[in-house]
Amino acid sequence: MLRLDGAGRAFGRRLVFSGLDLEVPPGIRLLLTGGNGTGKTTLLRCLAGTLALSTGRATIAGWPAGSPAARLLVGVALAPEQTLSGRLSGHDNLMLVARMRLPSRKATAAVAQVEEEFAIDEYARLPAQRCSAGMRARISVARALLGDPPVLLFDEPGRSLDAGTRALFWAALDRRPGLTCVLASHLDEDRARCDRTLAMPVAR
Ligand SMILES: Nc1ncnc2c1ncn2[C@@H]1O[C@H](COP(=O)(O)OP(=O)(O)OP(=O)(O)O)[C@@H](O)[C@H]1O
């Protein structure tokens, strides 16, 4: 479902990773681990298509990462505390994305479902800029699920979430068993929730 062939990314002269080959079959959850600065976020951005690889190739179901066809297949929550529109309410942030992915009646139902799954209902009408980091992270993570994309990319989804909400997050993924998921995390507890682990190599 998701493939890297000889993938590499540099920033100027700084090589973050190189020669990375990876295949993530459908339905598999892959955990990205590694110390600070080893390139987990960079790799996720390359898979999401918001950053180009310097070398090699990344594909989603055979489509080049970042192409319109690949983007349709991918739900993303990278920097989940920071990616909402601050003036809009959580609900409207969710509706904005739902309306891009679904016809209007289905969009309303999909937003209601994720608001319930992540217990967002209580503060969904508050402007996002008045929400706490954890509240914003909940909304961003829930937003990635809208429209049921078959591939999900998460960067430290549990970083700002309390234990109860982390449980809600995993329960939401468990309810969607066919998903292919790549998730970066520093939390030991996430290891048991994933099928495979890729430890990012320290760049030389
Ligand atoms: N836009 C950028 N310009 C220059 N260098 C960058 C940029 N983004 C990331 N880097 C560098 O790439 C390297 C990898 O960063 P990245 O954020 O991918 O690491 P990470 O594994 O996600 O780290 P952390 O665990 O701290 O979140 C770091 O050395 C970082 O300084």
Side-chain angles (χ1 to χ4, degrees):
M1 177 57 109
L2 204 145
R3 210 181 140 102
L4 293 172
D5 294 289
R9 173 71 208 196
F11 290 106
R13 289 186 177 178
R14 163 117 172 71
L15 192 61
V16 181
F17 54 83
S18 65
L20 209 53
D21 297 318
L22 176 71
E23 181 149 17
V24 187
I28 291 295
R29 286 183 199 160
L30 175 77
L31 179 71
L32 291 182
T33 64
N36 294 137
T38 49
K40 302 178 296 298
T41 301
T42 302
L43 178 57
L44 286 167
R45 291 179 62 201
C46 291
L47 288 169
T50 55
L51 189 69
L53 287 169
S54 307
T55 55
R57 193 172 141 80
T59 54
I60 312 289
W63 301 100
S67 64
R71 282 180 188 240
L72 278 178
L73 299 174
V74 179
V76 174
L78 309 183
E81 302 84 0
Q82 298 162 22
T83 52
L84 299 178
S85 171
R87 290 192 183 175
L88 294 183
S89 67
H91 178 79
D92 287 345
N93 271 280
L94 293 169
M95 281 304 296
L96 198 63
V97 169
R99 288 298 300 273
M100 285 191 265
R101 295 189 183 167
L102 294 165
S104 79
R105 198 178 297 171
K106 285 191 174 175
T108 305
V111 167
Q113 184 189 345
V114 296
E115 284 178 349
E116 193 184 335
E117 283 184 289
F118 287 85
I120 292 166
D121 334 40
E122 305 153 27
Y123 56 84
R125 305 287 164 175
L126 209 60
Q129 63 199 4
R130 285 174 49 199
C131 290
S132 73
M135 289 154 81
R136 290 195 303 273
R138 276 195 209 197
I139 296 164
S140 301
V141 165
R143 184 176 61 175
L145 303 181
L146 291 169
D148 293 320
V151 177
L152 288 172
L153 305 174
F154 292 111
D155 195 6
E156 300 189 50
R159 177 174 55 193
S160 303
L161 302 180
D162 59 43
T165 312
R166 294 202 297 277
L168 293 181
F169 167 71
W170 287 111
L173 292 198
D174 289 344
R175 277 192 288 274
R176 296 163 172 84
L179 282 175
T180 309
C181 182
V182 181
L183 180 148
S185 175
H186 294 290
L187 298 175
D188 285 339
E189 67 186 43
D190 289 344
R191 214 171 271 267
R193 302 288 198 166
C194 294
D195 306 295
R196 298 182 186 177
T197 300
L198 173 67
M200 292 300 288
V202 178
R204 280 162 293 173

